[in-house]
Amino acid sequence: MTGDGTRVVHAGVPSAVPGRSFLPGPAFGAPYHLDPVLGPQPGVDGYGRTDNPTWRALESAIGELEGGECVTFASGMAAVSAVLLSVLRPGDTVVVPGDGYYKTRAFASSHLAERGVTVLEVPTAGPYPALETVRLLLIETPANPGLDVCDIADLAARVHAGGGLVAVDNTTATPLGQRPLDLGADISVASGTKALTGHSDILLGYACTRDPELAASLTGWRGATGAVAGPFEAWLAHRSIGTLDLRLARQSTNAAAVAALLAAHPAVTTVRWPGRPEDPAYAVASRQMRRIPGVVTFTLADKAAVDRFLEAASLVFAATSFGGLHTSADRRAQWGDDTPDGLIRFSCGIEDTDDLVADVRRALDAVIA
Ligand SMILES: *Cc1c(COP(=O)(O)O)cnc(C)c1O
């Protein structure tokens, strides 16, 4: 297979036509011109809630990288909720990660439970209950923020034995980190807000599948609910994907160096990064993933220690989200995520490794000074 750098640069980019730009700019249209006599025609764009050429280019790029048909959405939560609501019916059982993105869990326990769906929360690392009666298993691997991983192929085989479906939240890994559809998942769903686009300037989501019926029902859901990405966001996303390989490479290198520093520093209580051989997720991650993301999760003693850390660091932005160019740190408990007060989800940016490590060391030293 062609290398990742080559694939992301060319993904979804039209073939060369003299005088045209490499990536045609965003197409803005609410209604498009119709044939005044024939009216709406198949294959001709009619209205912006269902048709947009800029989405189609982005969808062909993401679809190539994930290895399936892609449907983009306005945000990661628009994509996750579209998967849940278009698949599940009253009386069904869904399993969601107990330690994954907290908004997914909250969505399931409120909106799905009140619609007669049985919602089970299971930690990413397991143990998993019997899965033969489950209609949909949604897993998040690596899980945000704890970074546990689970074996996609093994779980997919167990769910498929009972006729259910498996969706993987691929936000943290990105399609260069792992291809869930190759591993047996039915749907790869993600927030494109994070590392996929990586510039901390757009909200985006997508779901990919190889099942034409699922793809049609997701597309139908999007058109019905209107959870569409704006054309400008879609174009920015497509442009940003061209540097995904380079960004992930630097983020991963930075994460390895930061994780090693954290593991050896007396201010730090726990460190999770699936690329460390000492990490409980290392074995499955190294088997299943093509590269390890730039996110490292660690704990300091308490909130006061996190405050000192963030005040002392100069290259670390206090911000939620992750996967961007700029290193950022988020104390997850401040959002109501059920995590310890001192837990930081640390997202390595693409700064020079030496600069970042020196800054983090200074900030950690300040915590115990
Ligand atoms: C951020 C995130 C989402 C939601 O994405 P938005 O684009 O913020 O709506 C879903 N899943 C995971 C794992 C995330 O990190």
Side-chain angles (χ1 to χ4, degrees):
M1 208 207 271
T2 320
D4 286 351
T6 311
R7 292 165 60 225
V8 292
V9 164
H10 289 282
V13 171
S15 42
V17 175
R20 296 260 173 90
S21 53
F22 291 5
L23 185 66
F28 298 110
Y32 300 86
H33 289 294
L34 292 180
D35 183 297
V37 175
L38 299 176
Q41 295 295 300
V44 178
D45 292 337
Y47 191 60
R49 202 176 59 241
T50 44
D51 312 316
N52 185 282
T54 314
W55 299 344
R56 289 196 294 274
L58 174 64
E59 286 167 349
S60 79
I62 300 173
E64 269 176 64
L65 301 177
E66 288 276 3
E69 189 173 334
C70 176
V71 185
T72 53
F73 288 89
S75 67
M77 279 318 294
V80 168
S81 59
V83 167
L84 294 170
L85 288 167
S86 64
V87 167
L88 295 163
R89 297 288 175 272
D92 285 344
T93 297
V94 64
V95 175
V96 298
D99 54 349
Y101 186 57
Y102 73 121
K103 289 286 187 192
T104 297
R105 205 157 62 232
F107 180 85
S109 62
S110 56
H111 298 287
L112 295 178
E114 74 193 19
R115 283 166 177 74
V117 174
T118 302
V119 178
L120 305 177
E121 290 183 14
V122 176
T124 298
Y128 285 81
L131 295 171
E132 287 71 23
T133 56
V134 164
R135 174 68 190 131
L136 178 68
L137 170 70
L138 173 66
I139 49 182
E140 195 180 298
T141 177
N144 163 23
L147 303 179
D148 260 324
V149 305
C150 56
D151 186 327
I152 297 172
D154 175 58
L155 290 167
R158 289 172 58 191
V159 172
H160 290 158
L165 297 173
V166 176
V168 176
D169 186 323
N170 207 27
T171 302
T172 305
T174 84
L176 294 192
Q178 82 196 350
R179 302 223 311 171
L181 303 180
D182 285 351
L183 298 165
D186 302 283
I187 300 169
S188 179
V189 58
S191 169
T193 310
K194 318 289 171 56
L196 182 77
T197 62
H199 288 66
S200 306
D201 50 12
I202 53 175
L203 287 163
L204 186 82
Y206 70 84
C208 288
T209 179
R210 290 176 183 165
D211 178 338
E213 269 176 45
L214 271 177
S217 88
L218 288 164
T219 306
W221 182 271
R222 179 182 64 184
T225 58
V228 296
F232 188 57
E233 280 76 3
W235 178 80
L236 272 177
H238 198 164
R239 189 192 66 158
S240 303
I241 285 173
T243 54
L244 181 59
D245 170 63
L246 289 174
R247 288 186 279 109
L248 292 179
R250 176 62 70 81
Q251 287 171 340
S252 196
T253 299
N254 283 352
V258 166
L261 167 65
L262 292 166
H265 200 282
V268 178
T269 319
T270 62
V271 188
R272 291 301 306 269
W273 189 60
R276 285 181 73 232
E278 300 79 8
D279 194 277
Y282 180 77
V284 181
S286 20
R287 211 166 54 233
Q288 174 167 280
M289 301 188 69
R290 300 177 62 237
R291 48 173 99 195
I292 306 296
V295 183
V296 181
T297 295
F298 64 99
T299 49
L300 301 178
D302 48 24
K303 177 182 184 298
V306 176
D307 296 345
R308 285 200 294 280
F309 175 79
L310 290 175
E311 277 167 1
S314 57
L315 294 179
V316 182
F317 291 165
T320 192
S321 195
F322 57 91
L325 307 178
H326 312 85
T327 292
S328 65
D330 191 19
R331 199 175 69 80
R332 291 304 295 159
Q334 70 190 330
W335 301 97
D337 200 341
D338 180 22
T339 55
D341 265 348
L343 181 140
I344 298 178
R345 186 185 61 206
F346 191 87
S347 174
C348 294
I350 63 167
E351 299 88 350
D352 289 288
T353 309
D354 290 349
D355 295 339
L356 183 60
V357 166
D359 194 53
V360 173
R361 179 177 290 120
R362 249 191 325 271
L364 290 171
D365 289 347
V367 170
I368 48 174

